[in-house]
Short mmCIF file of all heavy atoms in Angstrom, two decimals:
data_model
loop_
_atom_site.label_atom_id
_atom_site.label_comp_id
_atom_site.label_asym_id
_atom_site.label_seq_id
_atom_site.Cartn_x
_atom_site.Cartn_y
_atom_site.Cartn_z
N ALA A 273 -15.10 13.78 20.92
CA ALA A 273 -14.58 12.51 20.43
C ALA A 273 -13.19 12.21 20.98
O ALA A 273 -12.45 13.11 21.36
CB ALA A 273 -14.54 12.53 18.91
N ASP A 274 -12.86 10.92 21.00
CA ASP A 274 -11.51 10.52 21.39
C ASP A 274 -10.49 11.03 20.39
O ASP A 274 -10.80 11.28 19.22
CB ASP A 274 -11.41 8.99 21.47
CG ASP A 274 -12.25 8.42 22.61
OD1 ASP A 274 -12.52 9.17 23.57
OD2 ASP A 274 -12.63 7.24 22.52
N ASP A 275 -9.25 11.16 20.86
CA ASP A 275 -8.18 11.54 19.95
C ASP A 275 -7.98 10.47 18.89
O ASP A 275 -8.21 9.28 19.12
CB ASP A 275 -6.87 11.73 20.73
CG ASP A 275 -6.96 12.87 21.73
OD1 ASP A 275 -7.87 13.72 21.58
OD2 ASP A 275 -6.12 12.93 22.65
N MET A 276 -7.52 10.91 17.72
CA MET A 276 -7.28 9.99 16.61
C MET A 276 -5.82 10.11 16.20
O MET A 276 -5.35 11.18 15.81
CB MET A 276 -8.20 10.33 15.43
CG MET A 276 -9.68 10.29 15.77
SD MET A 276 -10.75 10.58 14.35
CE MET A 276 -10.49 9.07 13.41
N ARG A 277 -5.10 9.00 16.29
CA ARG A 277 -3.67 8.98 15.96
C ARG A 277 -3.37 7.81 15.03
O ARG A 277 -3.91 6.72 15.19
CB ARG A 277 -2.81 8.82 17.22
CG ARG A 277 -2.80 10.00 18.18
CD ARG A 277 -1.82 9.73 19.31
NE ARG A 277 -1.61 10.87 20.18
CZ ARG A 277 -2.31 11.11 21.28
NH1 ARG A 277 -3.29 10.27 21.62
NH2 ARG A 277 -2.06 12.16 22.02
N THR A 278 -2.47 8.06 14.09
CA THR A 278 -1.96 6.98 13.25
C THR A 278 -0.57 7.36 12.76
O THR A 278 -0.24 8.54 12.69
CB THR A 278 -2.89 6.70 12.05
OG1 THR A 278 -2.48 5.49 11.41
CG2 THR A 278 -2.88 7.84 11.04
N GLN A 279 0.23 6.35 12.41
CA GLN A 279 1.56 6.62 11.92
C GLN A 279 2.06 5.47 11.06
O GLN A 279 1.52 4.37 11.08
CB GLN A 279 2.55 6.85 13.08
CG GLN A 279 2.84 5.63 13.92
CD GLN A 279 3.86 5.90 15.00
OE1 GLN A 279 3.61 5.69 16.19
NE2 GLN A 279 5.03 6.35 14.61
N SER A 280 3.10 5.79 10.29
CA SER A 280 3.82 4.79 9.49
C SER A 280 2.92 4.11 8.47
O SER A 280 2.87 2.88 8.38
CB SER A 280 4.47 3.75 10.41
OG SER A 280 5.34 4.36 11.33
N GLY A 281 2.21 4.90 7.67
CA GLY A 281 1.37 4.34 6.62
C GLY A 281 1.88 4.68 5.23
O GLY A 281 2.66 5.62 5.04
N TYR A 282 1.43 3.90 4.24
CA TYR A 282 1.73 4.15 2.83
C TYR A 282 0.40 4.30 2.10
O TYR A 282 -0.39 3.35 2.06
CB TYR A 282 2.52 2.98 2.22
CG TYR A 282 3.91 2.83 2.79
CD1 TYR A 282 4.13 2.08 3.94
CD2 TYR A 282 5.00 3.43 2.18
CE1 TYR A 282 5.40 1.92 4.46
CE2 TYR A 282 6.28 3.28 2.69
CZ TYR A 282 6.48 2.53 3.83
OH TYR A 282 7.74 2.39 4.35
N TYR A 283 0.17 5.46 1.52
CA TYR A 283 -1.10 5.74 0.86
C TYR A 283 -0.83 6.45 -0.47
O TYR A 283 0.27 6.96 -0.71
CB TYR A 283 -1.98 6.64 1.75
CG TYR A 283 -2.07 6.19 3.18
CD1 TYR A 283 -1.34 6.84 4.19
CD2 TYR A 283 -2.86 5.11 3.55
CE1 TYR A 283 -1.40 6.43 5.50
CE2 TYR A 283 -2.93 4.68 4.86
CZ TYR A 283 -2.19 5.35 5.85
OH TYR A 283 -2.24 4.93 7.14
N ASP A 284 -1.86 6.50 -1.30
CA ASP A 284 -1.72 7.28 -2.53
C ASP A 284 -2.17 8.73 -2.33
O ASP A 284 -1.78 9.62 -3.11
CB ASP A 284 -2.49 6.63 -3.70
CG ASP A 284 -3.94 6.33 -3.35
OD1 ASP A 284 -4.53 7.06 -2.53
OD2 ASP A 284 -4.49 5.35 -3.89
N MET A 285 -2.95 8.99 -1.26
CA MET A 285 -3.44 10.35 -1.01
C MET A 285 -3.88 10.48 0.44
O MET A 285 -4.34 9.50 1.05
CB MET A 285 -4.60 10.68 -1.95
CG MET A 285 -5.17 12.08 -1.81
SD MET A 285 -6.54 12.39 -2.95
CE MET A 285 -6.98 14.07 -2.48
N LEU A 286 -3.75 11.70 0.99
CA LEU A 286 -4.24 12.02 2.33
C LEU A 286 -5.22 13.18 2.21
O LEU A 286 -4.88 14.23 1.65
CB LEU A 286 -3.10 12.40 3.26
CG LEU A 286 -3.49 12.99 4.63
CD1 LEU A 286 -4.26 11.98 5.46
CD2 LEU A 286 -2.27 13.49 5.38
N LYS A 287 -6.42 12.98 2.74
CA LYS A 287 -7.44 14.04 2.66
C LYS A 287 -8.14 14.17 4.01
O LYS A 287 -8.65 13.18 4.55
CB LYS A 287 -8.46 13.73 1.57
CG LYS A 287 -9.47 14.86 1.34
CD LYS A 287 -10.36 14.57 0.14
CE LYS A 287 -11.30 15.73 -0.14
NZ LYS A 287 -12.19 15.49 -1.31
N ILE A 288 -8.15 15.40 4.55
CA ILE A 288 -8.84 15.71 5.80
C ILE A 288 -9.76 16.89 5.52
O ILE A 288 -9.29 18.00 5.27
CB ILE A 288 -7.85 16.06 6.92
CG1 ILE A 288 -6.84 14.92 7.13
CG2 ILE A 288 -8.58 16.36 8.22
CD1 ILE A 288 -5.73 15.27 8.10
N SER A 289 -11.07 16.66 5.56
CA SER A 289 -12.00 17.73 5.17
C SER A 289 -13.40 17.44 5.68
O SER A 289 -13.77 16.29 5.90
CB SER A 289 -12.03 17.88 3.65
OG SER A 289 -12.55 16.71 3.04
N PRO A 290 -14.20 18.51 5.86
CA PRO A 290 -15.63 18.33 6.12
C PRO A 290 -16.34 18.08 4.78
O PRO A 290 -16.24 18.89 3.86
CB PRO A 290 -16.06 19.67 6.74
CG PRO A 290 -15.05 20.65 6.24
CD PRO A 290 -13.78 19.91 5.98
N SER A 291 -17.02 16.97 4.68
CA SER A 291 -17.57 16.56 3.38
C SER A 291 -19.08 16.71 3.27
O SER A 291 -19.65 16.39 2.23
CB SER A 291 -17.19 15.10 3.11
OG SER A 291 -17.70 14.26 4.13
N THR A 292 -19.72 17.19 4.36
CA THR A 292 -21.16 17.39 4.31
C THR A 292 -21.47 18.83 3.94
O THR A 292 -20.89 19.77 4.51
CB THR A 292 -21.80 17.06 5.67
OG1 THR A 292 -21.48 15.70 6.02
CG2 THR A 292 -23.31 17.23 5.63
N SER A 293 -22.34 19.01 3.02
CA SER A 293 -22.67 20.35 2.53
C SER A 293 -23.07 21.29 3.66
O SER A 293 -23.95 20.97 4.48
CB SER A 293 -23.83 20.25 1.52
OG SER A 293 -24.23 21.53 1.08
N GLY A 294 -22.40 22.44 3.75
CA GLY A 294 -22.73 23.46 4.72
C GLY A 294 -22.31 23.16 6.15
O GLY A 294 -22.56 23.95 7.05
N GLN A 295 -21.63 22.03 6.41
CA GLN A 295 -21.25 21.64 7.77
C GLN A 295 -19.73 21.70 7.91
O GLN A 295 -19.00 20.91 7.33
CB GLN A 295 -21.74 20.23 8.09
CG GLN A 295 -21.29 19.68 9.44
CD GLN A 295 -21.80 20.50 10.60
OE1 GLN A 295 -23.01 20.57 10.83
NE2 GLN A 295 -20.90 21.14 11.35
N ASN A 296 -19.24 22.67 8.71
CA ASN A 296 -17.81 22.77 8.96
C ASN A 296 -17.32 21.59 9.81
O ASN A 296 -18.09 20.97 10.54
CB ASN A 296 -17.47 24.09 9.65
CG ASN A 296 -17.64 25.28 8.74
OD1 ASN A 296 -17.84 25.13 7.52
ND2 ASN A 296 -17.57 26.47 9.30
N GLY A 297 -16.02 21.35 9.73
CA GLY A 297 -15.40 20.34 10.57
C GLY A 297 -14.59 21.00 11.67
O GLY A 297 -14.12 22.13 11.52
N PHE A 298 -14.38 20.29 12.81
CA PHE A 298 -13.75 20.90 13.98
C PHE A 298 -12.69 19.98 14.57
O PHE A 298 -12.98 18.83 14.93
CB PHE A 298 -14.81 21.21 15.05
CG PHE A 298 -15.94 22.08 14.55
CD1 PHE A 298 -17.10 21.53 14.05
CD2 PHE A 298 -15.82 23.47 14.60
CE1 PHE A 298 -18.14 22.33 13.59
CE2 PHE A 298 -16.85 24.28 14.15
CZ PHE A 298 -18.02 23.72 13.64
N ILE A 299 -11.48 20.51 14.67
CA ILE A 299 -10.37 19.80 15.32
C ILE A 299 -9.64 20.81 16.19
O ILE A 299 -9.26 21.88 15.72
CB ILE A 299 -9.38 19.19 14.30
CG1 ILE A 299 -10.09 18.23 13.35
CG2 ILE A 299 -8.24 18.49 15.01
CD1 ILE A 299 -9.20 17.72 12.23
N ASP A 300 -9.43 20.48 17.45
CA ASP A 300 -8.71 21.42 18.31
C ASP A 300 -7.22 21.47 17.98
O ASP A 300 -6.62 22.54 17.93
CB ASP A 300 -8.91 21.03 19.78
CG ASP A 300 -8.36 22.09 20.73
OD1 ASP A 300 -8.56 23.30 20.45
OD2 ASP A 300 -7.74 21.73 21.73
N HIS A 301 -6.61 20.30 17.73
CA HIS A 301 -5.17 20.26 17.43
C HIS A 301 -4.94 19.25 16.31
O HIS A 301 -5.17 18.05 16.50
CB HIS A 301 -4.38 19.88 18.67
CG HIS A 301 -2.92 20.18 18.57
ND1 HIS A 301 -2.04 20.01 19.63
CD2 HIS A 301 -2.16 20.64 17.54
CE1 HIS A 301 -0.82 20.37 19.24
NE2 HIS A 301 -0.87 20.74 17.98
#
Side-chain angles (χ1 to χ4, degrees):
D274 293 337
D275 296 342
M276 303 184 69
R277 292 184 172 91
T278 191
Q279 67 178 124
S280 302
Y282 293 87
Y283 313 103
D284 52 30
M285 181 180 179
L286 170 63
K287 186 174 184 180
I288 304 173
S289 64
S291 59
T292 302
S293 176
Q295 175 62 64
N296 290 350
F298 304 93
I299 302 174
D300 188 41
H301 196 175

